[in-house]
Amino acid sequence: MTSDFFCPDEVIFMESGYNLTVNKCIIKNFEAIKKLFYKYELNFYYMPYLDMDMNEVIAYRAPYLQPDKVNNKRWASDAFRCYLANAERSMQLPPCLIAKGPDDVVNAYFFSLGCESDIIPCFEEIRNEIYGDAWEGVAFASRLEEPDGKWHSPDETFEKDIENLMEDVKRKIDYLRYSGVSQWALEQLVKPELRLSRLVVTDDCKIILPDYNNMNIQMQPLVKSVYLLFLRHGGILFKYLSDYRNELYQIYDKVRRCSAPPVGMTDEQILNSIRLVTDPLSNSINEKCTRIREAFISRFDDDMAKYYYITGRRGEPKCIKLPRNMIEFKW
């Protein structure tokens, strides 16, 4: 079987016909089977279930598609049969699991079931054969680094802080694959184009992407205010953030009055928040930039989202990459 399209963490059920007993067992034990493979960081795919929640996945990868244009394609368990090296044998393919082993070779693991209770032990045996018993209970070392005891400015730690704070978002995005969507199948359903949307800030401070089905990007008032500040300017150096304190206060004052319900903060609390986020010695700005990135990357693919959130190299102005002629303020 060709392996170019096959990801090393995918295990796919395949057959050329429809074995009623096997399919009933998979359907009845589907969640247990997924967990069984996920323990080894493997994703199990049952093709007839591939269209479940597919609208959400397609909308994430191609937010510019109109809902009525999304074609939910139903998949059968022989969808990958054309990739088998032995085309003649593939016409009479018994139930099997397809997986890429550590040697980068895609193998078929054939099996048969005497009764329903056989399926979990059977799939456990195949799982162990794919990667071996040595993978059982592997402990992954933490990626957290020990602090060096030195103080670092928000500009220096910008990317690292965002990477650490984005872990929750990454887990949310990984759910799209764990829910049963093969990377290869996603490519067949929709190949994302770099099609950017205009960004409109309405008179009531909503952030709308009209070319992404009028998507409304939601943020907390202070986070949104920081975003609108950067949206107004071509780029801002973190060390000069205090120069924008008054402007940020004016933006925040408008945003909080448009919020539903309005933000219940005293003037002193508002001023303290503004002072903190514009303090070049505070990490508050990196936290706000993380929340901004999350607002976009949780709605659509990062290949497009990166044009909308705040980015920038160390020592350079942080900015929003979206071309200025695609940004419209209506207030």
Side-chain angles (χ1 to χ4, degrees):
M1 186 174 187
T2 57
S3 62
D4 294 341
F5 69 86
F6 210 94
C7 294
D9 63 350
E10 296 181 343
V11 178
I12 299 176
F13 171 72
M14 187 185 294
E15 62 178 347
S16 57
Y18 188 83
N19 186 304
L20 185 60
T21 300
V22 170
N23 281 271
K24 278 186 174 181
C25 288
I26 291 177
I27 292 170
K28 190 170 183 179
N29 297 276
F30 185 67
E31 288 303 320
I33 293 170
K34 287 188 71 64
K35 289 177 182 177
L36 181 153
F37 285 102
Y38 200 65
K39 185 178 180 181
Y40 277 46
E41 298 197 338
L42 298 170
N43 292 291
F44 173 75
Y45 299 115
Y46 178 59
M47 303 308 290
Y49 277 7
L50 192 60
D51 61 332
M52 295 174 62
D53 299 322
M54 191 55 70
N55 282 338
E56 179 186 354
V57 177
I58 295 177
Y60 181 82
R61 290 175 62 82
Y64 46 79
L65 289 180
Q66 296 294 323
D68 58 350
K69 299 295 184 182
V70 174
N71 178 25
N72 266 0
K73 183 174 181 178
R74 298 192 66 86
W75 296 84
S77 294
D78 64 350
F80 296 106
R81 192 159 44 85
C82 60
Y83 291 92
L84 292 175
N86 190 329
E88 183 177 344
R89 185 180 180 186
S90 71
M91 298 299 293
Q92 297 179 338
L93 189 70
C96 62
L97 299 182
I98 305 295
K100 180 186 284 189
D103 54 359
D104 207 38
V105 174
V106 178
N107 298 309
Y109 300 87
F110 299 96
F111 65 91
S112 60
L113 303 176
C115 60
E116 181 188 323
S117 61
D118 291 343
I119 191 164
I120 297 300
C122 177
F123 280 14
E124 281 181 340
E125 185 177 338
I126 293 175
R127 180 198 65 182
N128 293 340
E129 188 175 347
I130 294 171
Y131 280 114
D133 291 328
W135 280 68
E136 184 75 37
V138 171
F140 292 91
S142 170
R143 290 181 296 172
L144 295 177
E145 297 177 1
E146 290 294 326
D148 59 11
K150 299 178 182 178
W151 178 84
H152 297 279
S153 71
D155 182 56
E156 292 177 296
T157 61
F158 179 70
E159 286 299 332
K160 189 65 178 177
D161 285 347
I162 288 182
E163 181 182 340
N164 291 336
L165 292 167
M166 284 289 289
E167 286 301 318
D168 287 342
V169 183
K170 291 176 183 176
R171 283 193 288 271
K172 186 186 301 182
I173 295 168
D174 285 344
Y175 166 76
L176 293 177
R177 293 201 65 201
Y178 180 68
S179 62
V181 183
S182 163
Q183 181 67 29
W184 179 86
L186 283 175
E187 293 294 340
Q188 310 313 306
L189 282 162
V190 54
K191 296 179 180 179
E193 304 172 23
L194 186 56
R195 194 185 303 181
L196 302 178
S197 171
R198 293 163 293 152
L199 187 151
V200 176
V201 181
T202 66
D203 57 359
D204 57 352
C205 301
K206 290 180 180 177
I207 299 171
I208 304 295
L209 305 181
D211 305 309
Y212 289 171
N213 296 298
N214 286 317
M215 184 182 294
N216 182 8
I217 303 297
Q218 298 184 345
M219 303 176 192
Q220 293 296 322
L222 184 54
V223 175
K224 180 182 286 189
S225 301
V226 170
Y227 184 69
L228 296 181
L229 176 69
F230 277 82
L231 203 60
R232 278 181 162 186
H233 298 273
I236 298 176
L237 281 166
F238 277 2
K239 65 181 180 179
Y240 295 138
L241 272 171
S242 58
D243 296 345
Y244 299 86
R245 189 168 291 163
N246 290 336
E247 183 180 357
L248 180 59
Y249 177 83
Q250 293 170 2
I251 294 172
Y252 182 74
D253 187 53
K254 179 175 177 61
V255 169
R256 75 183 181 111
R257 284 188 280 106
C258 293
S259 301
V263 178
M265 295 176 66
T266 65
D267 288 343
E268 184 178 354
Q269 289 173 322
I270 293 170
L271 288 172
N272 284 336
S273 296
I274 298 295
R275 197 174 295 118
L276 189 63
V277 81
T278 55
D279 182 350
L281 304 181
S282 168
N283 195 48
S284 178
I285 185 61
N286 284 354
E287 294 171 359
K288 302 303 182 290
C289 288
T290 300
R291 298 285 79 85
I292 290 167
R293 184 175 295 198
E294 176 184 3
F296 288 100
I297 206 173
S298 64
R299 299 296 300 278
F300 51 91
D301 195 271
D302 189 49
D303 285 345
M304 290 165 278
K306 65 186 178 183
Y307 287 87
Y308 294 89
Y309 53 70
I310 297 168
T311 59
R313 295 179 180 177
R314 176 180 173 183
E316 296 181 359
K318 304 297 184 290
C319 64
I320 295 164
K321 291 182 178 179
L322 190 68
R324 304 296 296 173
N325 62 2
M326 297 184 72
I327 300 170
E328 180 183 358
F329 276 87
K330 292 191 172 181
W331 55 277

